[in-house]
Amino acid sequence: MAPLLLALILLVGSPAWAACEDVDSAVLDSHAGWAAAAWRAGDDARFTQVHGLVLQDVACLAGSGLRTRNTDLFLVLARGAMEAGDDSRALAAFRALLVIQGDFWPEEAMLPYDQPLAPLFAMAQVLGPDAAGFKALFLGQAAGAQATPPPPEPLAPGPEALEAQRRDELLARVRAEVETDERARHAGAVTATVGGFACGLSLAFIAARNTSGENKPSVVPNPQREAMGKVWTGTAIGGAAATGVGLWLMHASQLDAGVTTPVVGWGGRF
């Protein structure tokens, strides 16, 4: 513990602890690299000293969010936590390391099998990657504080809502059929009126032609008169047919009200 206390005393008196304005991700990665190099070289005193700088850097960057993909950083934090007797923090650092690199495998010189740190890394592999524990223990962020809550799932409509929807659909369909019936009835009335007028006028001309011919002693054949007679006859027949169609449309456009009579509506119900 003496080297650790000496390092802490040196760090407290160091200007590096004075402020955080000069600390950024590059400084953090640099200090993590120093600590990892001391670890590989077996220089425990140097590792302890630089590990203190790494902790300071992490504390300075915790409020603004820690952005790094440096695996040495998490190894250094894990070893430092284990040496401080805090296995939960060491495990959290290892699991955060696996978030960055899921297939990471440490160097045997840094993590020999007979050292206490190796079982913690194996446990982290079993538990799997996780960053929430690291954020809570090293950055002071509550678990799930940065997570955006999922949007609430839409509620399924109840029986009353379904019944109201079906009722609205039925009313809309009936309203459309009523409008179609109204248009068909109006068209039938116009067709019947025009057809009846044409038929009546044509019959009047035909009757006048035949009556005026009976009072003459002799009727002189007139090709134009015969042609006009055929025209008026065709007009009378067409007008009668149009009147019939119009009357049928007026009859068929009446709502059946449940009776199986032909009505006009969606689906071609003629």
Side-chain angles (χ1 to χ4, degrees), residues 142-163:
Q146 302 297 324
T148 302
E153 296 183 358
L155 298 177
E160 295 182 358
L162 292 175
E163 182 63 25

Side-chain angles (χ1 to χ4, degrees), residues 27-267:
V27 173
L28 175 62
D29 289 341
S30 177
H31 289 165
W34 294 354
W39 187 351
R40 293 183 178 94
D43 190 347
D44 293 341
R46 174 65 174 171
F47 175 85
T48 302
Q49 179 183 7
V50 183
H51 173 256
L53 292 176
V54 172
L55 289 179
Q56 177 203 353
D57 297 341
V58 171
C60 288
L61 298 175
S64 60
L66 185 62
R67 300 289 186 271
T68 182
R69 299 189 63 84
N70 189 345
T71 56
D72 285 344
L73 169 65
F74 297 96
L75 287 173
V76 169
L77 291 175
R79 175 181 170 178
M82 187 209 66
E83 290 181 348
D86 195 340
D87 290 350
S88 60
R89 285 168 63 92
L91 183 62
F94 277 141
R95 297 185 69 185
L97 185 152
L98 294 177
V99 171
I100 296 176
Q101 185 176 341
D103 59 349
F104 176 83
W105 192 262
E107 303 172 20
E108 186 176 355
M110 297 181 67
L111 210 66
Y113 295 111
D114 57 349
Q115 295 297 321
L117 202 57
L120 288 176
F121 181 76
M123 185 180 299
Q125 289 180 311
V126 172
L127 295 177
D130 177 67
F134 180 85
K135 291 180 180 179
L137 296 175
F138 285 90
L139 305 181
Q141 298 178 6
Q146 302 297 324
T148 302
E153 296 183 358
L155 298 177
E160 295 182 358
L162 292 175
E163 182 63 25
Q165 182 179 357
R166 285 193 293 266
R167 184 168 57 251
D168 293 341
E169 292 176 355
L170 177 60
L171 291 176
R173 185 165 57 251
V174 171
R175 189 179 299 111
E177 292 184 354
V178 169
E179 293 176 356
T180 302
D181 292 334
E182 289 291 342
R183 289 194 295 269
R185 185 161 51 250
H186 178 72
V190 172
T191 302
T193 301
V194 174
F197 179 79
C199 180
L201 184 62
S202 299
L203 291 176
F205 277 110
I206 292 173
R209 171 180 175 276
N210 293 336
T211 303
S212 61
E214 293 177 354
N215 297 329
K216 296 180 179 180
S218 61
V219 178
V220 179
N222 188 342
Q224 184 178 3
R225 182 185 181 88
E226 294 298 330
M228 289 301 298
K230 294 180 180 179
V231 171
W232 289 118
T233 301
T235 305
I237 295 173
T243 301
V245 172
L247 294 175
W248 182 83
L249 278 175
M250 294 176 63
H251 172 71
S253 63
Q254 303 300 316
L255 290 175
D256 57 356
V259 183
T260 57
T261 56
V263 296
V264 178
W266 298 114

